[in-house]
Amino acid sequence: MQQYFINRKTCVGSIEELDKDTLYHLIKVLRKNNKYIFRIVDSDKNVFYAHLINNYQCEITESLNENNELDTDITCILSLIKNDKMELCIQKLVELGVKRIVPYKSVRSVIKVKDNKKKERLEKIVKEAAEQSHRNIIPKVCDYADLKDLNKYLSEKNYICYESEKNIAEIEKSKSITYIIGPEGGFEDKEYQKICEMGFESVSLGKRILRAETAALYMTSIIVGKCQ
Ligand code: SAM
């Protein structure tokens, strides 16, 4: 069932105005009418059923007691990789349950970012993936980060995925976990050292060298498996 977010609290019986993207999607793309029931998630993460009452408003008809969020807050610091791969990876990270994505301007990232336009595009992808996967929140896309910014994103447990590491990632259940994935060319040695000094534990994802996007999805799956 289709889901949309609204950025305010609501309750059963309320009439809510929908934003233009939501209306466009419901009416023009899906060609739905007043009979169609969809999900609305409000700013308090509450889920409701709703239906259109005209071409710009819906009525909230039923409250669902539903929490699809993980107990663990996962932050993925993802080095900038080629745009299409970055976008697909972020979409999948949201489906898997990640709460925060930090696009990281790693020393060897070939992709360079000048303005926030790309962040807006990532936010759109995140929102649509959150709707599609019935999340209770829209995960946050943080500002593009440099090495010096990474300590802002430390969690209870912190990992750097490093292909030359021998210790296989053994993830302990915790309230919050941050992990870092390097770019196509991997981490530069000094960069890797500095990240470890910040408190990130170096872990291996096995003997094979994974593409950055595979590594991010694999690491998230391991965490979700432990922390579901
Ligand atoms: N430096 C490598 C090279 O060019 O052969 C590859 C880097 S890999 C494509 C991109 C990132 O994925 C790495 O920086 C690391 O974070 C992660 N990664 C890939 N395979 C991994 C593994 N087996 N264990 C841990 N991390 C891995």
Side-chain angles (χ1 to χ4, degrees):
M1 185 182 285
Q2 197 63 43
Q3 172 174 307
Y4 303 101
F5 289 94
I6 54 171
N7 58 7
R8 56 197 174 276
K9 286 186 196 180
T10 191
C11 59
V12 172
S14 283
I15 305 294
E16 296 292 343
E17 265 183 45
L18 296 170
D19 66 41
K20 84 176 181 326
D21 289 346
T22 301
L23 289 167
Y24 182 83
H25 192 256
L26 264 172
I27 297 169
K28 299 276 185 221
V29 179
L30 300 180
R31 302 196 162 272
K32 297 299 182 189
N33 59 25
N34 296 5
K35 287 193 188 122
Y36 180 67
I37 294 169
F38 52 91
R39 294 158 60 100
I40 285 285
V41 180
D42 76 357
S43 55
D44 269 357
K45 308 175 195 169
N46 293 318
V47 189
F48 301 91
Y49 284 146
H51 65 89
L52 286 170
I53 51 168
N54 53 39
N55 60 359
Y56 70 103
Q57 289 173 315
C58 70
E59 183 182 358
I60 307 291
T61 54
E62 192 178 331
S63 172
L64 305 174
N65 192 8
E66 192 178 298
N67 179 14
N68 297 329
E69 294 303 313
L70 298 167
D71 290 339
T72 302
D73 291 351
I74 308 175
T75 299
C76 171
I77 302 180
L78 181 61
S79 294
L80 297 186
I81 51 176
K82 288 193 188 118
N83 282 337
D84 53 340
K85 294 191 170 155
M86 185 94 187
E87 290 178 4
L88 191 70
C89 182
I90 285 177
Q91 182 193 64
K92 304 299 168 212
L93 290 172
V94 172
E95 289 172 28
L96 287 170
V98 162
K99 283 236 168 70
R100 254 188 332 181
I101 292 153
V102 184
Y104 168 46
K105 297 187 264 181
S106 173
V107 177
R108 289 200 184 133
S109 286
V110 210
I111 300 296
K112 304 291 171 208
V113 184
K114 287 192 206 86
D115 52 35
N116 264 335
K117 274 198 193 122
K118 285 204 174 130
K119 185 177 161 189
E120 281 166 27
R121 165 128 182 102
L122 296 183
E123 282 170 338
K124 186 167 183 282
I125 290 167
V126 164
K127 182 167 175 269
E128 287 173 2
E131 288 171 347
Q132 190 276 325
S133 54
H134 289 186
R135 298 282 304 263
N136 293 68
I137 57 146
I138 304 175
K140 185 171 169 51
V141 179
C142 301
D143 286 342
Y144 287 80
D146 288 313
L147 182 58
K148 65 173 169 35
D149 304 316
L150 297 188
N151 53 12
K152 284 197 256 175
Y153 301 106
L154 285 165
S155 289
E156 198 173 292
K157 294 273 173 205
N158 304 282
Y159 303 98
I160 173 169
C161 297
Y162 190 51
E163 61 281 11
S164 308
E165 178 58 60
K166 295 279 174 287
N167 292 323
I168 292 280
E170 278 193 24
I171 309 298
E172 288 168 41
K173 188 169 179 158
S174 20
K175 277 185 87 175
S176 61
I177 296 180
T178 296
Y179 71 88
I180 309 187
I181 299 290
E184 285 95 341
F187 294 106
E188 202 187 54
D189 287 350
K190 266 195 193 158
E191 178 187 32
Y192 168 73
Q193 289 306 335
K194 283 194 181 147
I195 294 174
C196 292
E197 283 163 21
M198 281 181 201
F200 289 85
E201 181 191 335
S202 181
V203 291
S204 162
L205 297 173
K207 290 181 186 163
R208 291 162 302 282
I209 307 294
L210 310 175
R211 298 250 187 193
E213 62 276 23
T214 316
L217 297 176
Y218 182 45
M219 182 63 174
T220 307
S221 307
I222 298 175
I223 299 170
V224 173
K226 288 278 175 185
C227 303
Q228 188 88 265

